[in-house]
Amino acid sequence: MISQNEIPTFRYNTENFHFIVKSNVENDSAFDSILQRAWKQAEKVGAFRYNLNIRSSKTLRGRYRFLAQFNPERGHCRRAPESITFMRQPFDPARFNFTKLSQKEILFDVGNGDLNDVVAINSSPLESGHCLLLSERLKCLPQVMTEYSLLKAVELCLLSSSWSLRIVFNSLCAFASVNHLHWHLYYLRYEMLLEYINICDYIKGVHLLVDYPAKGFCLKLSDFKDITDFVSRAICLVNYLQSREIPHNTCITRAKSKPGDELYDDVRIYIWARKPSGSKNTISYYPAVCEFLGHLSIRDEDPYNNLTEDGVVNDLNEATEEYFLLMKNELKSVLNQP
C-alpha cells in the first residue's frame, strides 16, 4: 500500500502559470525542477525497465524536418501492450493498470494529496523526463479523454517554463498501450514544425492542419479568453470523435509565430482523427501521436538506417487523410451548434 505521506504534493494556482517562455533562457520552473529531480531519483533507484539510452538521432532530409531517434530498448524491454480492439472497451481491473504502480514509480501528486491525480514515470522512456499524467487515477477510468484530464494536461504545460515540454494522448485503437486514463509528457529539445506551421481557418476557435502529412485540427490558446474555454472547445471535438468511435491522437505543445523565434507566446492543441491502429508491434516503426508531431522513435536498426521522409509522409497520410476528410465535413455542423 502506497503511503500518502511519502509521496510529495505539488500545489499550484494560476499565478504559477507561464504563458510566455523563451527558448534561450534556461530557468526551470518549480514544476520542472520537481519533475526532473524526481525522475532522476527514480532512475537511480532502478524504477525503470531500462536506463534511457538513445543510440543515435538524426533529422530526416526534406521539407518536414522529422526527428528520428534509435531507441531499441523501448521496443525490446517495455511491457507488452494491452490488446485493444474497440473504442468502448471497458476498464479491466484484472489487467495491468496504474493503480498497481509501486511507490518508487509515482513521482508526486498534482491534486489535493490523495494520490488520485499524480505524475508517475513511464517505465519505458522514449526521452528525458518521460512521465505519465494520471488524472482521477483511482476512479479506474478507461483511456477516454475527459475534460478534467485535458484541463490538467494544459495546466501542467503552463506550469513548465520550458518550451520543450510536450504532452500527448493516444486514444483506444490509436496505439494506446494501457486502457486506463493517462497522458504522456516529456521534454524534447528540438524545434518542431508544428510549433509554428501555418494553419487554416475552419470555424470559430478551430483551425485545420492541411499543409502537413498528418492532417488534423488545431486550437490555439490565444483565440480564447481563458484556459477553460480553450479546453471546453477542444473536448467538444474529441467527444464527437469518441461518440463516432473514431480513433484519435492529441498533442499539446508550446507555439510561436515563426521558425527561429526565441519567444513562445502561445499553446496549441492538435487533434488527429485517424484509422484504427490494430495491434501494436513494439519493434518496428508505427504512426502514433509522437510520430504525428514529427518525433519518430525507432526500435530496430534497419528501419532506422533506411528511414526516409517520403516513407514517413506516406505513413502519416495513410493514417489520417481518409478520416480527416470525413470528419472535416461532419464536425463543422457539430461545432457550429450553440
Side-chain angles (χ1 to χ4, degrees):
M1 189 72 173
I2 297 174
S3 169
Q4 295 180 16
N5 296 329
E6 297 186 30
I7 303 293
T9 298
F10 182 83
R11 301 187 187 277
Y12 63 91
N13 56 46
T14 56
E15 294 180 357
N16 302 119
F17 292 160
H18 300 262
F19 290 96
I20 299 175
V21 300
K22 294 183 178 181
S23 61
N24 64 341
V25 176
E26 295 295 334
N27 185 21
D28 288 343
S29 68
F31 174 78
D32 295 315
S33 294
I34 187 175
L35 188 155
Q36 293 172 13
R37 185 170 62 250
W39 195 87
K40 290 175 182 176
Q41 178 59 30
E43 192 173 43
K44 285 183 180 179
V45 300
F48 295 91
R49 288 176 170 260
Y50 55 85
N51 286 340
L52 180 65
N53 178 23
I54 296 172
R55 308 286 183 89
S56 178
S57 297
K58 63 183 178 181
T59 301
L60 300 188
R61 291 182 180 178
R63 176 183 177 189
Y64 300 107
R65 298 182 61 251
F66 296 126
L67 173 66
Q69 295 179 322
F70 181 35
N71 182 2
E73 282 83 4
R74 182 164 166 81
H76 292 283
C77 303
R78 65 176 296 173
R79 180 184 292 106
E82 183 176 342
S83 176
I84 295 170
T85 56
F86 60 103
M87 292 287 292
R88 299 183 185 273
Q89 191 160 317
F91 176 88
D92 184 349
R95 293 181 177 271
F96 170 79
N97 64 76
F98 299 118
T99 67
K100 299 180 180 182
L101 295 179
S102 65
Q103 184 163 310
K104 64 183 180 181
E105 292 177 279
I106 298 179
L107 302 185
F108 53 94
D109 186 291
V110 285
N112 61 13
D114 64 1
L115 301 185
N116 197 28
D117 294 329
V118 300
V119 172
I121 63 165
N122 185 313
S123 62
S124 301
L126 59 80
E127 251 295 351
S128 174
H130 188 178
C131 294
L132 302 173
L133 165 63
L134 308 175
S135 65
E136 299 184 296
R137 176 178 67 108
L138 302 179
K139 290 186 177 180
C140 297
L141 302 174
Q143 179 67 348
V144 175
M145 191 187 302
T146 63
E147 186 167 359
Y148 179 84
S149 77
L150 176 56
L151 176 61
K152 205 76 175 175
V154 171
E155 288 180 346
L156 296 197
C157 177
L158 293 171
L159 285 171
S160 173
S161 60
S162 174
W163 62 274
S164 64
L165 184 65
R166 325 291 176 165
I167 304 183
V168 299
F169 179 94
N170 295 318
S171 82
L172 298 180
C173 300
F175 288 114
S177 294
V178 179
N179 188 16
H180 189 178
L181 182 57
H182 66 286
W183 290 73
H184 295 261
L185 57 155
Y186 65 99
Y187 297 91
L188 184 66
R189 298 188 59 80
Y190 180 86
E191 185 182 75
M192 308 302 292
L193 182 60
L194 294 192
E195 296 169 6
Y196 54 83
I197 194 171
N198 289 331
I199 48 180
C200 303
D201 291 339
Y202 177 51
I203 58 174
K204 184 178 180 182
V206 183
H207 304 266
L208 298 179
L209 173 63
V210 294
D211 193 22
Y212 188 71
K215 295 173 176 59
F217 305 90
C218 180
L219 296 88
K220 300 190 299 180
L221 179 56
S222 57
D223 287 339
F224 297 85
K225 65 179 183 180
D226 57 34
I227 302 169
T228 303
D229 284 352
F230 180 46
V231 168
S232 179
R233 191 65 162 157
I235 201 66
C236 182
L237 195 160
V238 170
N239 283 345
Y240 184 73
L241 295 178
Q242 182 67 33
S243 72
R244 289 275 281 105
E245 300 190 41
I246 303 294
H248 46 278
N249 304 93
T250 301
C251 174
I252 302 170
T253 186
R254 294 280 184 171
K256 55 187 177 180
S257 298
K258 60 182 184 296
D261 272 5
E262 295 178 351
L263 200 67
Y264 286 79
D265 58 359
D266 211 346
V267 173
R268 293 186 180 189
I269 298 176
Y270 287 99
I271 301 167
W272 292 276
R274 50 90 48 75
K275 65 187 290 187
S277 59
S279 60
K280 178 179 284 190
N281 183 324
T282 61
I283 302 301
S284 62
Y285 154 76
Y286 55 87
V289 65
C290 295
E291 288 72 22
F292 291 170
L293 172 64
H295 176 208
L296 304 125
S297 182
I298 312 299
R299 298 149 178 80
D300 188 69
E301 190 168 12
D302 285 342
Y304 177 77
N305 290 334
N306 297 318
L307 199 64
T308 65
E309 181 181 84
D310 286 345
V312 176
V313 167
N314 289 338
D315 286 342
L316 301 190
N317 270 321
E318 182 182 357
T320 62
E321 187 166 29
E322 176 186 353
Y323 284 85
F324 169 73
L325 294 174
L326 174 66
M327 288 296 102
K328 183 177 72 168
N329 295 327
E330 286 192 24
L331 279 165
K332 181 164 283 191
S333 60
V334 172
L335 295 175
N336 271 330
Q337 292 176 3

